[in-house]
Amino acid sequence: VQLQASGGGMVQAGDSLRLSCSASGYTRMISHMAWFRQDPGKEREYVASIGWSAGSTDYADFVQGRFTISKGNAGITVFLQMNNLKPEDTAVYYCAYRTKRGRSFTRAAPLEYDYWGQGTQVTVSS
């Protein structure tokens, strides 16, 4: 599975961005897709995830209703609509893909995801 993320950029506080991530390859066993972010020198941080069959969504507490994760209508594509961006949202954003395993898991744990995109930079100025 290959993931291609796009949509990052430089914006001002209060602006919006929409990130996209498309998966290709053998994707029949998809379980969830997620977005994480990472600042240099810090651990990768969970942002949001979506279950592919039921469309159930989950968000990190810091999102506070500002971000929305959704699936595209064609292929394996996931979006992250980010509104009211803050300077502390500045990071490299990564999409992640999890293969079905038939067991419960912690959505916020990076180790639970099997494939990662290359990251897209989001910079929010005050």
Side-chain angles (χ1 to χ4, degrees):
V1 175
Q2 297 80 42
L3 302 179
Q4 181 69 42
S6 62
M10 297 180 64
V11 297
Q12 294 187 329
D15 285 350
S16 299
L17 278 175
R18 189 191 196 206
L19 305 184
S20 301
C21 178
S22 296
S24 60
Y26 186 76
T27 58
R28 292 181 62 185
M29 297 299 290
I30 183 172
S31 167
H32 292 68
M33 289 189 75
W35 289 96
F36 288 75
R37 66 186 189 183
Q38 189 168 21
D39 264 341
K42 296 184 179 179
E43 293 186 353
R44 194 160 292 191
E45 180 180 41
Y46 173 74
V47 177
S49 64
I50 185 165
W52 213 254
S53 58
S56 61
T57 58
D58 180 71
Y59 297 93
D61 289 342
F62 69 80
V63 169
Q64 297 178 333
R66 299 181 298 127
F67 297 176
T68 302
I69 188 170
S70 61
K71 300 189 295 182
N73 293 325
I76 305 297
T77 303
V78 63
F79 302 104
L80 185 68
Q81 176 67 42
M82 303 187 294
N83 298 328
N84 191 23
L85 283 161
K86 304 175 181 180
E88 51 264 42
D89 294 319
T90 295
V92 178
Y93 283 70
Y94 296 91
C95 59
Y97 173 109
R98 187 177 188 276
T99 304
K100 288 180 182 177
R101 289 183 178 76
R103 63 167 176 82
S104 61
F105 72 106
T106 301
R107 292 196 186 204
L111 291 177
E112 291 283 5
Y113 295 85
D114 304 289
Y115 302 97
W116 293 84
Q118 83 284 8
T120 184
Q121 177 71 47
V122 172
T123 303
V124 185
S125 60
S126 56

